Amino acid sequence: MALAPSVSGNAINGLGETAARPARVVYWAPNPDDIPHGAMQRWFYTVDPDAAPIAAARAERQVILNAPLADLAGPPVERPPEEWTAALTRFVVEGICEKTGVAVMDQAWVYEGQSIAQSRVIVLGVQHDFDAISTAPDAVAGGEVIRQYGRAAGAAKAVAGWLRQQGWAAEPVTGPMAGKLLLIPPALACGFGELGKHGSIIDAEMGSSFRLSAVLTDAPFAPTPPESHGIDDFCASCRICEDACPPMAIASEKQTVRAARKWYVDFDRCLPFFNQTNGCAICIAVCPWSRPGVGLNLAAKLARRAARVQGSAADAATQADAP
Ligand code: SF4
Ligand code: SF4
């Protein structure tokens, strides 16, 4: 806490602001000196750096980050947009990632002061090992998060390399230092579920237990649609993550953040515990959607309930219209 800046992370995030504006980098800056919380970001790496799960995962990830990207080979291969998008299935089948989606680039997803010229964002999801993430806030969970950031980086580099070999420039974007692109908004736009009360995405297949990376390109991929499973309503009547969060950083009500009403985690409350515990991850581990096999069943149950409610409303309307 001695390293905390005078400015609140919630102010940087735009909590309470009613006008829209670009997001500012609050944490995980590529260069920590560029942000007020940079000293805290550097301190994160001093916590248990020699703990076996952390050290091994960091070394594994570094090898992936250091691997060269395939050279750009021209001329660009032409394919119909749907074929480009369908071709991404290969990366899931080969176990390189667990989910893919494509969004048409929206400048609202770019951090303040940055620009992105490419027209498409390919979003990639990699799932945590549930047993490992369930140990949160133990270092085993912290190591698992780093391991999956490594896999996510490997997936982005594999997809970018595949595109470059077909003559299309492609830029991998790998977390947590995503640099110029916010990852959650394009993921929500292209079918990765809904934002949960704990501030992370809940996907019907992977729950909250996954990490994201992306590829920026002009290859003409067809966008994939957003998905809604009633998760937003589910969160309104669940408080498992709220109760489990040691520093009580998860708000029970949605907040206004840069003109949007949404679930929000208090950055200033979360960060000290997050830093002290190699990234915490309790909230994503305890979320019921994260349990293997649970998410799709829950989504089906919510869909049946919504259909019943709709059916009852239609019956009531018919009876009201009857003479
Ligand atoms: S634990 Fe409950 S309230 Fe929290 S994100 Fe998961 S479903 Fe939503
Ligand atoms: S990461 Fe930990 S401290 Fe932060 S909101 Fe989740 S449970 Fe709370």
Side-chain angles (χ1 to χ4, degrees):
M1 288 308 295
L3 300 173
S6 55
V7 62
S8 156
N10 296 324
I12 295 170
N13 281 339
L15 179 64
E17 291 182 24
T18 53
R21 66 154 170 88
R24 294 177 189 138
V25 178
V26 66
Y27 214 55
W28 300 129
N31 178 357
D33 293 338
D34 291 342
I35 56 167
H37 293 78
M40 294 180 89
Q41 182 178 315
R42 286 193 197 284
W43 189 84
F44 177 89
Y45 291 95
T46 68
V47 179
D48 291 339
D50 300 326
I54 302 287
R58 282 194 179 138
E60 201 178 301
R61 176 168 172 258
Q62 200 54 52
V63 170
I64 294 166
L65 293 177
N66 292 346
L69 203 54
D71 288 336
L72 185 61
V77 172
E78 299 293 340
R79 287 178 176 163
E82 285 70 23
E83 264 185 38
W84 275 114
T85 300
L88 290 172
T89 308
R90 179 193 127 190
F91 294 92
V92 176
V93 170
E94 290 176 8
I96 293 169
C97 59
E98 275 68 64
K99 183 160 176 152
T100 66
V102 179
V104 173
M105 184 62 207
D106 182 334
Q107 292 304 314
W109 304 338
V110 183
Y111 280 108
E112 188 176 70
Q114 305 280 346
S115 62
I116 292 178
Q118 293 93 334
S119 67
R120 296 288 185 278
V121 189
I122 301 167
V123 183
L124 307 164
V126 295
Q127 191 168 15
H128 294 126
D129 175 88
F130 185 71
D131 289 340
I133 207 73
S134 297
T135 68
D138 191 272
V140 170
E144 175 61 11
V145 170
I146 297 165
R147 199 172 75 82
Q148 294 309 332
Y149 270 127
R151 271 191 77 217
K157 290 179 95 165
V159 171
W162 165 72
L163 279 168
R164 291 164 71 88
Q165 284 165 344
Q166 295 170 88
W168 289 96
E171 184 183 341
V173 179
T174 66
M177 286 86 166
K180 53 188 174 183
L181 176 73
L182 286 96
L183 286 173
I184 288 182
L188 293 172
C190 73
F192 275 76
E194 295 163 61
L195 191 67
K197 186 181 273 188
H198 51 15
S200 298
I201 298 181
I202 299 179
D203 175 80
E205 291 159 67
M206 301 185 286
S208 305
S209 189
F210 65 99
R211 298 287 145 178
L212 294 169
S213 62
V215 176
L216 298 169
T217 185
D218 281 323
F221 282 83
T224 50
E227 281 187 15
S228 171
H229 298 286
I231 293 168
D232 190 64
D233 279 348
F234 187 96
C235 282
S237 52
C238 169
R239 46 176 302 140
I240 294 174
C241 58
E242 263 182 88
D243 291 341
C245 173
M248 295 185 286
I250 300 174
S252 55
E253 303 292 333
K254 289 185 180 180
Q255 312 284 312
T256 300
V257 182
R258 302 193 308 278
R261 197 76 190 148
K262 59 189 211 178
W263 299 118
Y264 182 78
V265 170
D266 187 308
F267 181 86
D268 300 334
R269 285 190 185 204
C270 168
L271 187 62
F273 191 80
F274 176 97
N275 261 2
Q276 204 175 317
T277 55
N278 288 298
C280 181
I282 289 174
C283 50
I284 61 172
V286 299
C287 178
W289 293 83
S290 297
R291 288 197 163 272
V294 167
L296 286 174
N297 286 336
L298 259 179
K301 197 170 150 190
L302 292 177
R304 285 196 298 274
R305 188 187 296 167
R308 274 200 306 276
V309 170
Q310 257 182 359
S312 309
D315 288 349
T318 308
Q319 281 171 13
D321 287 346

